[in-house]
Amino acid sequence: MCGIFFSLRSAVSQDDGNETSASNLSQLLGKLQLANAARGLCAYTNLAPETQPRRATGPDAQETVHITVQRIALTFFASELRLRGEAAVAQPHIDPDGNVLCWNGEIFEGMSIAPDENDGKELSALLQTRKTPEEIRDVLGSIEGPYAVVYYQKSSRRIYFARDPLGRRSLLIHKPTRANPYFLLTSVSAGAHPAYNLEELPTEQIYCLDAAELGSGESVEANFQRCFETIPRHGYELNVPFVSYLWTKRFPFSLPSILTYAGSQARLPKVNVQLPDDPPMVQDLDHIPAHLSFAVDELTAHLDRSVMLRVRNIPRSSASSGQAKVAVLFSGGIDSTMLAFLASRHVDPDEPIDLLNVAFENPRKISVQVEGNIGGLPKREKKQKLRDPLDYSTVQVSYDVPDRLTGLKEVEELRRLCPARVWNFVEINVPYEESQGARSIVEALMFPGRTVMDLSLAVALYFAARGVGQVRSCPGAPAQPYTTPARVLLNGLGSDELLGGYGRHRTAFKAAGWQAIVDELQLELDRIPTRNLGRDDRVISSHGKETRHPFLSLSVVSFLARLPVHMKTDPRLEAGLGEKLLLRLAARKVGLIEASARKKRAMQFGSHSARMIPGEGDRKGDLLLNR
């Protein structure tokens, strides 16, 4: 996991007599470089000393490379958190031909990367042998894993940049304007700032900028559009038999899995449009009907392989053994519990797995619990209640939020199924004052996300990823302070989008039948790259952690997209059974009885991170924040 930053500007701008402008630009570039060093290593400086977390993580290596092309100054910066290989490898990568690669990603499939090798270094060597834009596109199209990449090809003096098709890594772009005549690419912003207009880099294409042509004109902003090119991802076909041969020589997986993987790289698959006439209904989770038996086993196999690829060969961050290297963002729901269970199959038996469970002190929720819901009161009484806030000295704050209660139940189920594993259930309790003290930091990290919903989700991820809390040796035992040393966090995001887990899927079915669900699932898949992943990456990485999404392996995505809709979800069945039906059957089959029947609950409501301030309860999630 890395922070990468690239800037392109006129090399003569500092000689134009505008010293103030040059100084402001230099300060901005310094802020962005600092923000990308371990993804916000200095982000805590605005917190009071007593609320600053202890950091056991940070960048393992960081470097800066400066190149001048005609009248254009290029700056490449990368910091690296070592999650691959035997030793830290400094970035940017520079090959013998002078090409420069800034790589923030993980290659899980498509290239043979040995446990002691660095995937960025291996990718750099492969790109060195490619000359045309189409060849570079094909290299990126052949790999599976989250990534953001900036690549300078010295021979053509072109800069290529892209994100993976699902947008699992953040990369923000600022295009030059008359007021701000420079080009920026950055993993993370420095918050809202008048000197740039950052937005998420779209994932549909590979992008290219001709630095030589850009430097031949009179100004960067005037020539930019002429020198800015897009390369469509489509048109790429993977050699399935050859890749299958290479893969099976290295890993003992079946050919059907390889075929599923191979067709998914160039672009996202389309949802199967086959509509059932009147499919049979599942009576209960204990009996898998014949038409779903194969799909249940295949889902378990695909997901198990995806988890395995994401938890194996993680290097230790310290000399001490027996510490957790893997943690799960854990609500006790079916998604996170299934990932935890599968991870236990592949993590060293001597290593704990940390289950990160976050709960917030939410004054609005507490007020409702103590005083009742004031929303239904007459206007005069409602105003009076808001003028006289609850006296907190009379209230004992409890962190028994819904996700805490389900999490405690599920960790016991995991302990019964995997008794040899040490499961650290990390209770992350966030007082109201602490969450509000971190609000400006979280808003800067999630930028350009700026909605009420962005904040509700981002603040939950921020404290969960920080991993500072307490653990108990057994239920009822005294709590002991604990900070997770794990750098890799598993996240269950994606299952609802792929398997029909949202309430809106049931609503669509009631309105227009199975076709409406197919349309809704396609819409869900199409907008995954533009929704939460870039924001979540920026927030979680601020703690020197990397989030990995097993449900969003392109192999899993492709497998689920190609299944007929009635094999994934059945809105004719009751809640807790019909939504994500296939995953529920798979979870029940491996022994996760309680998790398999648990209903969907959004993270911001399960943790009580949403709408903390009294009077904010009526604000819709898509509204922009007041500040």
Side-chain angles (χ1 to χ4, degrees), residues 8 41 113 126 130 139 196 202 239 241 251 298 341 360 459 479 519 537 544 562 590 597 601 605 614 617:
L8 179 153
L41 180 63
I113 309 293
L126 181 58
R130 303 302 192 260
V139 167
Y196 53 51
N239 186 328
F251 302 113
E298 280 294 292
F341 174 80
F360 287 82
V459 74
D519 295 341
D537 177 56
R562 291 170 181 173
V590 300
R601 184 170 53 236
F605 302 123

PDB file of all heavy atoms in Angstrom, residues 8 41 113 126 130 139 196 202 239 241 251 298 341 360 459 479 519 537 544 562 590 597 601 605 614 617:
ATOM      1  N   LEU A   8       2.763  18.127 -12.551  1.00  0.00           N
ATOM      2  CA  LEU A   8       3.310  18.608 -13.822  1.00  0.00           C
ATOM      3  C   LEU A   8       3.042  20.099 -13.902  1.00  0.00           C
ATOM      4  O   LEU A   8       1.896  20.532 -13.738  1.00  0.00           O
ATOM      5  CB  LEU A   8       2.651  17.864 -14.984  1.00  0.00           C
ATOM      6  CG  LEU A   8       3.066  18.229 -16.410  1.00  0.00           C
ATOM      7  CD1 LEU A   8       2.864  17.024 -17.339  1.00  0.00           C
ATOM      8  CD2 LEU A   8       2.277  19.423 -16.962  1.00  0.00           C
ATOM      9  N   LEU A  41       0.421  10.680   7.552  1.00  0.00           N
ATOM     10  CA  LEU A  41       1.132  10.433   8.797  1.00  0.00           C
ATOM     11  C   LEU A  41       0.999  11.606   9.757  1.00  0.00           C
ATOM     12  O   LEU A  41       0.968  11.436  10.965  1.00  0.00           O
ATOM     13  CB  LEU A  41       2.615  10.181   8.484  1.00  0.00           C
ATOM     14  CG  LEU A  41       3.542   9.896   9.655  1.00  0.00           C
ATOM     15  CD1 LEU A  41       3.115   8.617  10.343  1.00  0.00           C
ATOM     16  CD2 LEU A  41       4.982   9.790   9.194  1.00  0.00           C
ATOM     17  N   ILE A 113       3.873 -13.611  -8.974  1.00  0.00           N
ATOM     18  CA  ILE A 113       4.683 -12.851  -8.027  1.00  0.00           C
ATOM     19  C   ILE A 113       5.044 -13.776  -6.866  1.00  0.00           C
ATOM     20  O   ILE A 113       4.158 -14.228  -6.136  1.00  0.00           O
ATOM     21  CB  ILE A 113       3.939 -11.611  -7.482  1.00  0.00           C
ATOM     22  CG1 ILE A 113       3.363 -10.774  -8.629  1.00  0.00           C
ATOM     23  CG2 ILE A 113       4.861 -10.787  -6.596  1.00  0.00           C
ATOM     24  CD1 ILE A 113       4.390 -10.105  -9.500  1.00  0.00           C
ATOM     25  N   LEU A 126       8.081  -5.511 -16.372  1.00  0.00           N
ATOM     26  CA  LEU A 126       7.225  -5.917 -17.481  1.00  0.00           C
ATOM     27  C   LEU A 126       6.871  -4.734 -18.370  1.00  0.00           C
ATOM     28  O   LEU A 126       6.901  -4.830 -19.605  1.00  0.00           O
ATOM     29  CB  LEU A 126       5.957  -6.572 -16.932  1.00  0.00           C
ATOM     30  CG  LEU A 126       4.953  -7.087 -17.964  1.00  0.00           C
ATOM     31  CD1 LEU A 126       5.595  -8.113 -18.889  1.00  0.00           C
ATOM     32  CD2 LEU A 126       3.733  -7.676 -17.273  1.00  0.00           C
ATOM     33  N   ARG A 130       7.257  -3.029 -22.926  1.00  0.00           N
ATOM     34  CA  ARG A 130       6.101  -2.611 -23.723  1.00  0.00           C
ATOM     35  C   ARG A 130       6.328  -1.197 -24.252  1.00  0.00           C
ATOM     36  O   ARG A 130       6.787  -0.326 -23.527  1.00  0.00           O
ATOM     37  CB  ARG A 130       4.823  -2.662 -22.888  1.00  0.00           C
ATOM     38  CG  ARG A 130       4.531  -4.035 -22.278  1.00  0.00           C
ATOM     39  CD  ARG A 130       4.425  -5.118 -23.351  1.00  0.00           C
ATOM     40  NE  ARG A 130       3.879  -6.359 -22.840  1.00  0.00           N
ATOM     41  CZ  ARG A 130       4.593  -7.422 -22.504  1.00  0.00           C
ATOM     42  NH1 ARG A 130       5.925  -7.363 -22.605  1.00  0.00           N
ATOM     43  NH2 ARG A 130       4.014  -8.520 -22.080  1.00  0.00           N
ATOM     44  N   VAL A 139      -1.122  -4.775 -20.483  1.00  0.00           N
ATOM     45  CA  VAL A 139      -0.469  -5.196 -19.244  1.00  0.00           C
ATOM     46  C   VAL A 139      -1.388  -4.901 -18.053  1.00  0.00           C
ATOM     47  O   VAL A 139      -1.620  -5.760 -17.198  1.00  0.00           O
ATOM     48  CB  VAL A 139       0.887  -4.493 -19.063  1.00  0.00           C
ATOM     49  CG1 VAL A 139       1.413  -4.691 -17.636  1.00  0.00           C
ATOM     50  CG2 VAL A 139       1.908  -5.025 -20.067  1.00  0.00           C
ATOM     51  N   TYR A 196      -6.752  23.954  -6.011  1.00  0.00           N
ATOM     52  CA  TYR A 196      -7.023  22.838  -6.901  1.00  0.00           C
ATOM     53  C   TYR A 196      -8.509  22.533  -6.924  1.00  0.00           C
ATOM     54  O   TYR A 196      -9.268  22.940  -6.049  1.00  0.00           O
ATOM     55  CB  TYR A 196      -6.222  21.590  -6.528  1.00  0.00           C
ATOM     56  CG  TYR A 196      -6.326  21.110  -5.088  1.00  0.00           C
ATOM     57  CD1 TYR A 196      -7.548  20.904  -4.450  1.00  0.00           C
ATOM     58  CD2 TYR A 196      -5.172  20.831  -4.365  1.00  0.00           C
ATOM     59  CE1 TYR A 196      -7.619  20.434  -3.147  1.00  0.00           C
ATOM     60  CE2 TYR A 196      -5.227  20.371  -3.057  1.00  0.00           C
ATOM     61  CZ  TYR A 196      -6.456  20.165  -2.455  1.00  0.00           C
ATOM     62  OH  TYR A 196      -6.531  19.711  -1.164  1.00  0.00           O
ATOM     63  N   PRO A 202     -11.819   8.831 -13.147  1.00  0.00           N
ATOM     64  CA  PRO A 202     -12.723   7.772 -13.613  1.00  0.00           C
ATOM     65  C   PRO A 202     -11.959   6.491 -13.937  1.00  0.00           C
ATOM     66  O   PRO A 202     -10.759   6.520 -14.225  1.00  0.00           O
ATOM     67  CB  PRO A 202     -13.356   8.383 -14.875  1.00  0.00           C
ATOM     68  CG  PRO A 202     -13.196   9.859 -14.708  1.00  0.00           C
ATOM     69  CD  PRO A 202     -11.900  10.043 -13.980  1.00  0.00           C
ATOM     70  N   ASN A 239      -5.335 -14.603 -23.182  1.00  0.00           N
ATOM     71  CA  ASN A 239      -5.120 -15.942 -23.711  1.00  0.00           C
ATOM     72  C   ASN A 239      -5.480 -16.945 -22.624  1.00  0.00           C
ATOM     73  O   ASN A 239      -4.655 -17.291 -21.782  1.00  0.00           O
ATOM     74  CB  ASN A 239      -3.656 -16.101 -24.144  1.00  0.00           C
ATOM     75  CG  ASN A 239      -3.408 -17.438 -24.838  1.00  0.00           C
ATOM     76  OD1 ASN A 239      -4.041 -18.441 -24.528  1.00  0.00           O
ATOM     77  ND2 ASN A 239      -2.495 -17.433 -25.792  1.00  0.00           N
ATOM     78  N   PRO A 241      -6.233 -20.350 -22.417  1.00  0.00           N
ATOM     79  CA  PRO A 241      -5.500 -21.602 -22.197  1.00  0.00           C
ATOM     80  C   PRO A 241      -4.100 -21.373 -21.646  1.00  0.00           C
ATOM     81  O   PRO A 241      -3.639 -22.100 -20.773  1.00  0.00           O
ATOM     82  CB  PRO A 241      -5.469 -22.232 -23.595  1.00  0.00           C
ATOM     83  CG  PRO A 241      -6.619 -21.617 -24.316  1.00  0.00           C
ATOM     84  CD  PRO A 241      -6.714 -20.213 -23.789  1.00  0.00           C
ATOM     85  N   PHE A 251      -0.636 -22.841  -8.834  1.00  0.00           N
ATOM     86  CA  PHE A 251      -1.657 -22.948  -7.798  1.00  0.00           C
ATOM     87  C   PHE A 251      -2.643 -24.071  -8.139  1.00  0.00           C
ATOM     88  O   PHE A 251      -3.045 -24.216  -9.303  1.00  0.00           O
ATOM     89  CB  PHE A 251      -2.422 -21.638  -7.651  1.00  0.00           C
ATOM     90  CG  PHE A 251      -1.548 -20.473  -7.331  1.00  0.00           C
ATOM     91  CD1 PHE A 251      -1.377 -19.447  -8.241  1.00  0.00           C
ATOM     92  CD2 PHE A 251      -0.872 -20.418  -6.125  1.00  0.00           C
ATOM     93  CE1 PHE A 251      -0.555 -18.374  -7.946  1.00  0.00           C
ATOM     94  CE2 PHE A 251      -0.056 -19.351  -5.827  1.00  0.00           C
ATOM     95  CZ  PHE A 251       0.108 -18.327  -6.736  1.00  0.00           C
ATOM     96  N   GLU A 298     -19.677 -23.270  -5.527  1.00  0.00           N
ATOM     97  CA  GLU A 298     -18.792 -22.416  -6.318  1.00  0.00           C
ATOM     98  C   GLU A 298     -18.577 -21.057  -5.652  1.00  0.00           C
ATOM     99  O   GLU A 298     -17.474 -20.517  -5.670  1.00  0.00           O
ATOM    100  CB  GLU A 298     -19.352 -22.226  -7.727  1.00  0.00           C
ATOM    101  CG  GLU A 298     -19.075 -23.380  -8.661  1.00  0.00           C
ATOM    102  CD  GLU A 298     -17.582 -23.512  -8.950  1.00  0.00           C
ATOM    103  OE1 GLU A 298     -17.018 -22.637  -9.610  1.00  0.00           O
ATOM    104  OE2 GLU A 298     -16.991 -24.520  -8.503  1.00  0.00           O
ATOM    105  N   PHE A 341     -14.326 -16.188   8.986  1.00  0.00           N
ATOM    106  CA  PHE A 341     -14.268 -17.653   9.006  1.00  0.00           C
ATOM    107  C   PHE A 341     -13.330 -18.172   7.917  1.00  0.00           C
ATOM    108  O   PHE A 341     -12.494 -19.058   8.169  1.00  0.00           O
ATOM    109  CB  PHE A 341     -15.671 -18.227   8.814  1.00  0.00           C
ATOM    110  CG  PHE A 341     -15.705 -19.728   8.667  1.00  0.00           C
ATOM    111  CD1 PHE A 341     -15.628 -20.536   9.787  1.00  0.00           C
ATOM    112  CD2 PHE A 341     -15.797 -20.307   7.417  1.00  0.00           C
ATOM    113  CE1 PHE A 341     -15.642 -21.923   9.657  1.00  0.00           C
ATOM    114  CE2 PHE A 341     -15.814 -21.689   7.271  1.00  0.00           C
ATOM    115  CZ  PHE A 341     -15.735 -22.498   8.399  1.00  0.00           C
ATOM    116  N   PHE A 360     -20.109   4.162  18.745  1.00  0.00           N
ATOM    117  CA  PHE A 360     -20.021   5.597  19.015  1.00  0.00           C
ATOM    118  C   PHE A 360     -20.992   6.021  20.105  1.00  0.00           C
ATOM    119  O   PHE A 360     -22.117   5.506  20.193  1.00  0.00           O
ATOM    120  CB  PHE A 360     -20.331   6.396  17.743  1.00  0.00           C
ATOM    121  CG  PHE A 360     -19.242   6.360  16.713  1.00  0.00           C
ATOM    122  CD1 PHE A 360     -19.128   5.277  15.852  1.00  0.00           C
ATOM    123  CD2 PHE A 360     -18.319   7.386  16.611  1.00  0.00           C
ATOM    124  CE1 PHE A 360     -18.123   5.220  14.901  1.00  0.00           C
ATOM    125  CE2 PHE A 360     -17.311   7.342  15.672  1.00  0.00           C
ATOM    126  CZ  PHE A 360     -17.217   6.252  14.815  1.00  0.00           C
ATOM    127  N   VAL A 459     -16.286   8.464   9.225  1.00  0.00           N
ATOM    128  CA  VAL A 459     -15.864   8.553  10.626  1.00  0.00           C
ATOM    129  C   VAL A 459     -15.863   7.166  11.268  1.00  0.00           C
ATOM    130  O   VAL A 459     -14.992   6.855  12.101  1.00  0.00           O
ATOM    131  CB  VAL A 459     -16.757   9.547  11.406  1.00  0.00           C
ATOM    132  CG1 VAL A 459     -18.134   8.970  11.686  1.00  0.00           C
ATOM    133  CG2 VAL A 459     -16.092   9.962  12.705  1.00  0.00           C
ATOM    134  N   ALA A 479     -11.726  -5.686  30.756  1.00  0.00           N
ATOM    135  CA  ALA A 479     -11.198  -5.216  29.470  1.00  0.00           C
ATOM    136  C   ALA A 479      -9.754  -4.766  29.633  1.00  0.00           C
ATOM    137  O   ALA A 479      -9.401  -4.104  30.612  1.00  0.00           O
ATOM    138  CB  ALA A 479     -12.051  -4.075  28.942  1.00  0.00           C
ATOM    139  N   ASP A 519     -32.161  -5.103 -13.571  1.00  0.00           N
ATOM    140  CA  ASP A 519     -31.776  -3.719 -13.892  1.00  0.00           C
ATOM    141  C   ASP A 519     -31.091  -3.059 -12.701  1.00  0.00           C
ATOM    142  O   ASP A 519     -30.100  -2.334 -12.871  1.00  0.00           O
ATOM    143  CB  ASP A 519     -33.012  -2.909 -14.296  1.00  0.00           C
ATOM    144  CG  ASP A 519     -33.640  -3.407 -15.584  1.00  0.00           C
ATOM    145  OD1 ASP A 519     -32.960  -4.123 -16.352  1.00  0.00           O
ATOM    146  OD2 ASP A 519     -34.831  -3.095 -15.814  1.00  0.00           O
ATOM    147  N   ASP A 537     -10.636   4.177   0.868  1.00  0.00           N
ATOM    148  CA  ASP A 537      -9.186   3.966   0.776  1.00  0.00           C
ATOM    149  C   ASP A 537      -8.426   5.127   1.394  1.00  0.00           C
ATOM    150  O   ASP A 537      -7.456   4.931   2.137  1.00  0.00           O
ATOM    151  CB  ASP A 537      -8.785   3.792  -0.692  1.00  0.00           C
ATOM    152  CG  ASP A 537      -7.290   3.632  -0.872  1.00  0.00           C
ATOM    153  OD1 ASP A 537      -6.714   2.716  -0.255  1.00  0.00           O
ATOM    154  OD2 ASP A 537      -6.698   4.423  -1.626  1.00  0.00           O
ATOM    155  N   GLY A 544      -1.966   4.057   7.975  1.00  0.00           N
ATOM    156  CA  GLY A 544      -0.968   3.108   7.525  1.00  0.00           C
ATOM    157  C   GLY A 544      -1.534   1.704   7.425  1.00  0.00           C
ATOM    158  O   GLY A 544      -0.836   0.725   7.680  1.00  0.00           O
ATOM    159  N   ARG A 562     -22.581 -13.438 -13.640  1.00  0.00           N
ATOM    160  CA  ARG A 562     -23.035 -14.364 -14.670  1.00  0.00           C
ATOM    161  C   ARG A 562     -24.095 -15.351 -14.188  1.00  0.00           C
ATOM    162  O   ARG A 562     -24.690 -16.065 -14.986  1.00  0.00           O
ATOM    163  CB  ARG A 562     -21.824 -15.108 -15.239  1.00  0.00           C
ATOM    164  CG  ARG A 562     -20.924 -14.181 -16.046  1.00  0.00           C
ATOM    165  CD  ARG A 562     -19.609 -14.815 -16.403  1.00  0.00           C
ATOM    166  NE  ARG A 562     -18.778 -13.867 -17.148  1.00  0.00           N
ATOM    167  CZ  ARG A 562     -17.513 -14.086 -17.486  1.00  0.00           C
ATOM    168  NH1 ARG A 562     -16.936 -15.210 -17.130  1.00  0.00           N
ATOM    169  NH2 ARG A 562     -16.839 -13.185 -18.153  1.00  0.00           N
ATOM    170  N   VAL A 590     -21.292 -23.967   5.841  1.00  0.00           N
ATOM    171  CA  VAL A 590     -19.994 -24.073   6.520  1.00  0.00           C
ATOM    172  C   VAL A 590     -20.138 -24.012   8.033  1.00  0.00           C
ATOM    173  O   VAL A 590     -19.147 -24.104   8.750  1.00  0.00           O
ATOM    174  CB  VAL A 590     -19.008 -22.984   6.034  1.00  0.00           C
ATOM    175  CG1 VAL A 590     -18.763 -23.100   4.545  1.00  0.00           C
ATOM    176  CG2 VAL A 590     -19.488 -21.582   6.411  1.00  0.00           C
ATOM    177  N   ALA A 597     -28.583 -16.108   9.186  1.00  0.00           N
ATOM    178  CA  ALA A 597     -29.962 -15.624   9.275  1.00  0.00           C
ATOM    179  C   ALA A 597     -30.048 -14.165   9.706  1.00  0.00           C
ATOM    180  O   ALA A 597     -31.140 -13.656   9.951  1.00  0.00           O
ATOM    181  CB  ALA A 597     -30.752 -16.493  10.247  1.00  0.00           C
ATOM    182  N   ARG A 601     -27.858  -4.596   8.037  1.00  0.00           N
ATOM    183  CA  ARG A 601     -27.891  -3.337   8.787  1.00  0.00           C
ATOM    184  C   ARG A 601     -26.728  -2.482   8.320  1.00  0.00           C
ATOM    185  O   ARG A 601     -25.581  -2.932   8.291  1.00  0.00           O
ATOM    186  CB  ARG A 601     -27.796  -3.598  10.285  1.00  0.00           C
ATOM    187  CG  ARG A 601     -27.926  -2.325  11.114  1.00  0.00           C
ATOM    188  CD  ARG A 601     -28.062  -2.645  12.604  1.00  0.00           C
ATOM    189  NE  ARG A 601     -26.999  -3.513  13.063  1.00  0.00           N
ATOM    190  CZ  ARG A 601     -27.201  -4.683  13.661  1.00  0.00           C
ATOM    191  NH1 ARG A 601     -28.417  -5.152  13.845  1.00  0.00           N
ATOM    192  NH2 ARG A 601     -26.176  -5.408  14.073  1.00  0.00           N
ATOM    193  N   PHE A 605     -25.582   3.008  10.906  1.00  0.00           N
ATOM    194  CA  PHE A 605     -26.666   2.837  11.886  1.00  0.00           C
ATOM    195  C   PHE A 605     -26.316   1.775  12.919  1.00  0.00           C
ATOM    196  O   PHE A 605     -26.658   1.908  14.095  1.00  0.00           O
ATOM    197  CB  PHE A 605     -27.971   2.499  11.162  1.00  0.00           C
ATOM    198  CG  PHE A 605     -28.385   3.537  10.162  1.00  0.00           C
ATOM    199  CD1 PHE A 605     -28.581   3.203   8.836  1.00  0.00           C
ATOM    200  CD2 PHE A 605     -28.548   4.860  10.540  1.00  0.00           C
ATOM    201  CE1 PHE A 605     -28.943   4.167   7.908  1.00  0.00           C
ATOM    202  CE2 PHE A 605     -28.918   5.834   9.622  1.00  0.00           C
ATOM    203  CZ  PHE A 605     -29.106   5.491   8.298  1.00  0.00           C
ATOM    204  N   PRO A 614     -28.044  16.410  17.963  1.00  0.00           N
ATOM    205  CA  PRO A 614     -29.492  16.633  18.033  1.00  0.00           C
ATOM    206  C   PRO A 614     -29.920  17.725  17.060  1.00  0.00           C
ATOM    207  O   PRO A 614     -29.280  18.771  16.957  1.00  0.00           O
ATOM    208  CB  PRO A 614     -29.705  17.059  19.491  1.00  0.00           C
ATOM    209  CG  PRO A 614     -28.576  16.426  20.239  1.00  0.00           C
ATOM    210  CD  PRO A 614     -27.397  16.474  19.296  1.00  0.00           C
ATOM    211  N   GLY A 617     -31.216  14.986  12.754  1.00  0.00           N
ATOM    212  CA  GLY A 617     -31.884  13.740  12.398  1.00  0.00           C
ATOM    213  C   GLY A 617     -32.656  13.791  11.095  1.00  0.00           C
ATOM    214  O   GLY A 617     -32.882  12.766  10.469  1.00  0.00           O
TER     215      GLY A 617
END
